Amino acid sequence: MAKDNILAADDVFERVSKYLNEEHVELVKRAYEFARQAHKDQFRKSGEPYIIHPIQVAGILADLELDPATVAAGFLHDVVEDTQVTIKQISEEFNSEVAMLVDGVTKLGKIKYKSHEEQQAENHRKMFVAMAKDIRVILIKLADRLHNMRTLKHLAPEKQRRIANETLEIFAPLAHRLGISKIRWELEDTSLRYLNPQQYYRIVNLMKRKRAEREEYLDNVIDGVQKQLEEVDIKAELYGRPKHIFSIYRKMTLQHKQFNEIYDLLAVRIIVNSIKDCYAVLGIIHTCWKPMPGRFKDYIAMPKPNMYQSLHTTVIGPKGEPLEVQIRTIEMHRIAEYGIAAHWAYKEGKTIDQRASFDKKLSWFREILEFQNESANAEEFMESLKVDLFSDMVFVFTPKGDVLELPAGSVPIDFAYRIHSEIGNKTIGAKVNGKMVTLDYKLNTGDIIEILTSKHSYGPSQDWLKLAQTSQAKNKIRQFFKKQRKEENIIKGKELIEREIKELDFDIKDILVPENIERAVEKFNFPSEDDMYAAVGYNGISAQQVANKLTDKWRKKRDEEEAVKEIVSEGRQSPRPRRHEAGVKVKGADNLLIRLSRCCNPVPGDEIIGFITKGRGVSVHRSDCPNVTSSEQENRLIPVEWVQSANSLKEYNVDIEVLGYDRHGLLNEVLQTVSGSRTNITAVTGRTDRNKMATIMVTIAIHNISHLHKVVDKIKQIPDVYAVHRIMN
């Protein structure tokens, strides 16, 4: 589906009718009608009817030719989260399969969390666990995220950056692991556009400058290769492969290269009918041009974990320029574009052996359930997932020649536990490529690993927890200690927690009461009180973490009492007037000196927090201001709130940054647009760089956050303006 092509429901029906039978198409149509009724009074930030979004999600899933339950769930994926519809109703109206898929992508909206980060981590954990049970959950979520990224321009800049960063950290790597390059590249390019617009548009402009020259060069190469293939009667489809913006940016950043040093900007893709033809074409390419040493990769003989297969070679092409060539079959190309979706087996037409092979390729997903069971909280679960699933990988061999995939930085201990828990527990040494190595040896791609074991081994040591890189190995080691010394660890853990409570200056009898302990056990997902103490005993979780949770209510109450006492004391001593001139007041206290912080310039409508200063009363910051979020003096933070009556006429200075293409008259248009919105400008500066990117900093006087949003929206409509950000000093 093209990025700017908005599908209608009939377009989706037409696409699914090409590969589904009438009964299945009818299910998809019923799902659309149900979703249309559920969302009928809802609108998106863009002002469009909400149903537009589910239609586009279902359209993306239809493009991947997924089964009827998945496309139906694409239409229904938001009805439980955003309307009064329940999972039970979905199950009754459709079936349990559709209900399960919708439930898998539904966020945990009715539970209160301490922070947005904690809530997001819990949402992701729920999604990944559902995904481990049925891979279609993540395919729906990827389609949902893809359309959200296409419409990200309608959100506030802070939210754009947060969503783009999350996409780059979680969803793009997932699309890569699933082999769906068609979705992965768009997610990465769009994320870069919002996270680093200057570099994004710089690369876009650089690519535009030499596009005609590159296209002419590739046309000549393709014509020459086509003639060579016709002479040996090989039928092939040849075309230039577009280089994606994010991959160029990543190479420039990681390899410290300039744009003109990126070799594979010029690439040709050759699609043939058979594997035999792939290698024949490779021979012809290497006969025509000299291959570059170390640049040949055979992903046909050694497929990537995401099932990608292709031959890659880089040669010195015409005019002495490096030229990358990819050679693959039609089926390989389909898998490269659609990944796991190209293999999706929904009942029809798949043998038991084919399904078993399919499940084997997804075995790494099953480990997610193990991470879930062993993780103390959602944040730890997500960190484990990022290390094990999304980091760079190495490919190593067992002595029998089987290939194992491990995160870069893995050691023999990780390899041993990947084979089997008992092999890991009985490990006494390792050989790599026939030579003895220490257990902290970093494995490299191509290494042949042999694990040495002994029946008389006493099991892993505590030091192994520091050496192991994978969550699987660490979890198995912790399980060993947990089983071996549980009673001892319970006693030790309880002593450590009691010591921490005393250091926090609380009475143990007040803190270690049943309802409080139960709250901590539930928070850290332990089956029982003894399991929590045992975990502290074997260092599965720190005593400080548990003690902090057990005392959080008491600490918060004590800190608030002390903060109010201190600020009231300061208020009595200071001769200066304590009026609400800033339009803000401290909850529960009057006649205090209050000032708005200049580092973040809060305005009415912003979420704010007070910080008790030494001798200068309360400074008011935005809640996301780094000066308070990074402060180690949490006990000096105090709740504050805007005074409504004071907000209407007062003006507040706000600094905004405008990024755009440096053309004649841009600065003048920005200033006229701000003035035209009846907004005072108190300062303006600007600069340009050698890539013709302009940065304009404007300080404007506004009444509240909605006034600011109106001004920003008008600036965004100016031609050649790429982004507008609110900045902190």
Side-chain angles (χ1 to χ4, degrees), residues 209-227:
R209 287 179 194 173
K210 294 190 175 182
R211 177 177 292 172
E213 183 183 325
R214 283 202 308 272
E215 287 177 352
E216 182 183 355
Y217 177 90
L218 286 174
D219 286 343
N220 292 334
V221 169
I222 289 170
D223 288 341
V225 174
Q226 188 76 61
K227 289 176 183 176

Side-chain angles (χ1 to χ4, degrees), residues 651 671 673-681 700-702 707 711:
E651 290 186 333
L671 298 181
T673 299
V674 175
S675 299
S677 64
R678 298 184 180 180
T679 304
N680 290 328
I681 300 172
I700 58 176
I702 57 102
H707 182 185
V711 176

Side-chain angles (χ1 to χ4, degrees), residues 469-674:
Q469 297 298 307
T470 62
S471 299
Q472 182 187 29
K474 290 179 180 179
N475 290 336
K476 296 296 183 185
I477 294 166
R478 290 191 186 110
Q479 284 177 14
F480 177 86
F481 291 124
K482 185 177 179 181
K483 291 176 183 176
Q484 292 292 310
R485 299 194 293 268
K486 186 169 183 179
E487 292 300 323
E488 177 186 331
N489 285 326
I490 290 172
I491 297 169
K492 181 182 175 183
K494 190 170 184 179
E495 289 175 353
L496 290 171
I497 291 171
E498 289 178 351
R499 187 186 306 164
E500 286 289 338
I501 293 171
K502 286 179 181 178
E503 287 185 9
L504 291 170
D505 200 23
F506 290 104
D507 191 327
I508 293 171
K509 293 180 181 177
D510 292 338
I511 303 301
L512 293 181
V513 294
E515 60 270 21
N516 204 26
I517 293 171
E518 186 178 339
R519 194 164 57 90
V521 167
E522 186 177 328
K523 163 66 181 174
F524 295 113
N525 294 318
F526 287 111
S528 68
E529 179 182 347
D530 282 348
D531 287 304
M532 181 177 73
Y533 291 142
V536 174
Y538 65 76
N539 294 324
I541 187 173
S542 72
Q544 186 180 27
Q545 280 180 280
V546 177
N548 284 341
K549 182 60 188 176
L550 288 166
T551 61
D552 58 358
K553 288 185 178 179
W554 285 264
R555 283 185 294 111
K556 186 176 180 181
K557 184 178 179 182
R558 183 171 67 184
D559 290 346
E560 285 182 358
E561 289 173 353
E562 289 177 358
V564 171
K565 284 180 185 177
E566 182 174 349
I567 197 165
V568 169
S569 173
E570 287 182 5
R572 288 173 182 156
Q573 294 170 12
S574 176
R576 288 174 287 186
R578 273 72 174 159
R579 290 175 292 163
H580 301 316
E581 292 181 358
V584 176
K585 69 175 182 178
V586 175
K587 292 182 181 180
D590 290 319
N591 299 321
L592 303 175
L593 179 65
I594 299 173
R595 62 186 179 84
L596 298 180
S597 171
R598 292 182 181 177
C599 63
C600 57
N601 289 333
V603 300
D606 284 330
E607 291 186 15
I608 52 176
I609 191 73
F611 184 82
I612 302 165
T613 63
K614 294 289 185 181
R616 293 184 297 159
V618 177
S619 66
V620 178
H621 297 256
R622 281 164 52 186
S623 297
D624 60 352
C625 177
N627 289 336
V628 291
T629 56
S630 62
S631 173
E632 296 179 358
Q633 298 173 298
E634 290 187 8
N635 61 321
R636 302 189 73 82
L637 298 178
I638 190 168
V640 293
E641 59 187 12
W642 293 103
V643 179
Q644 296 299 321
S645 59
N647 295 342
S648 56
L649 298 177
K650 184 173 177 61
E651 290 186 333
Y652 301 80
N653 282 342
V654 171
D655 298 318
I656 60 173
E657 179 183 70
V658 181
L659 303 173
Y661 179 70
D662 181 29
R663 60 167 171 80
H664 181 70
L666 179 65
L667 174 60
N668 190 42
E669 283 188 46
V670 170
L671 298 181
Q672 284 184 352
T673 299
V674 175

Side-chain angles (χ1 to χ4, degrees), residues 166-416:
E166 179 185 70
T167 300
L168 210 52
E169 279 193 352
I170 295 174
F171 292 99
L174 256 178
H176 173 58
R177 284 302 299 259
L178 294 170
I180 314 175
S181 60
K182 190 174 182 181
I183 289 179
R184 173 202 174 187
W185 291 120
E186 187 177 340
L187 290 177
E188 288 182 337
D189 284 357
T190 313
S191 296
L192 180 63
R193 177 183 166 191
Y194 291 101
L195 290 173
N196 196 335
Q198 283 182 294
Q199 283 285 37
Y200 176 87
Y201 287 106
R202 178 190 170 214
I203 293 170
V204 168
N205 288 330
L206 287 169
M207 291 177 73
K208 281 180 181 177
R209 287 179 194 173
K210 294 190 175 182
R211 177 177 292 172
E213 183 183 325
R214 283 202 308 272
E215 287 177 352
E216 182 183 355
Y217 177 90
L218 286 174
D219 286 343
N220 292 334
V221 169
I222 289 170
D223 288 341
V225 174
Q226 188 76 61
K227 289 176 183 176
Q228 293 280 341
L229 297 182
E230 287 172 359
E231 287 180 9
V232 292
D233 199 26
I234 293 179
K235 294 181 180 179
E237 181 183 347
L238 292 85
Y239 55 88
R241 180 183 68 87
K243 188 68 179 175
H244 295 276
I245 297 168
F246 182 78
S247 63
I248 296 173
Y249 167 77
R250 184 165 49 197
K251 285 196 174 183
M252 292 172 66
T253 305
L254 297 180
Q255 299 177 18
H256 306 289
K257 290 184 176 181
Q258 295 299 315
F259 181 82
N260 57 7
E261 295 178 297
I262 306 292
Y263 288 153
D264 53 357
L265 281 174
L266 297 173
V268 173
R269 182 171 288 153
I270 304 173
I271 300 176
V272 295
N273 293 324
S274 68
I275 293 177
K276 176 172 66 73
D277 287 347
C278 288
Y279 289 100
V281 171
L282 177 68
I284 291 170
I285 296 295
H286 283 181
T287 302
C288 293
W289 298 293
K290 187 176 182 180
M292 291 180 66
R295 298 280 296 177
F296 170 66
K297 294 173 183 174
D298 187 345
Y299 293 119
I300 294 179
M302 288 282 292
K304 289 186 178 182
N306 61 9
M307 296 171 288
Y308 176 89
Q309 287 184 289
S310 194
L311 295 177
H312 289 200
T313 187
T314 303
V315 297
I316 303 299
K319 301 180 183 179
E321 292 188 33
L323 172 71
E324 183 184 291
V325 181
Q326 295 180 355
I327 310 163
R328 61 178 68 147
T329 65
I330 296 169
E331 180 62 17
M332 289 174 191
H333 181 63
R334 184 166 174 266
I335 293 169
E337 290 290 300
Y338 298 104
I340 208 73
H343 275 268
W344 182 249
Y346 59 95
K347 306 295 187 290
E348 293 101 2
K350 295 290 180 181
T351 66
I352 293 174
D353 288 342
Q354 285 174 318
R355 290 182 197 171
S357 174
F358 178 76
D359 287 340
K360 188 176 180 181
K361 289 170 182 173
L362 290 176
S363 60
W364 60 275
F365 260 51
R366 312 304 173 214
E367 296 170 16
I368 291 172
L369 293 176
E370 190 173 326
F371 300 160
Q372 148 75 5
N373 294 333
E374 294 299 325
S375 300
N377 53 53
E379 287 90 342
E380 182 184 324
F381 169 74
M382 287 307 299
E383 286 307 310
S384 296
L385 203 66
K386 287 175 185 178
V387 170
D388 282 22
L389 300 187
F390 302 151
S391 61
D392 291 334
M393 310 304 288
V394 294
F395 304 95
V396 294
F397 295 89
T398 67
K400 294 181 179 179
D402 295 328
V403 180
L404 287 185
E405 175 192 16
L406 292 166
S410 292
V411 298
I413 294 168
D414 298 298
F415 179 88

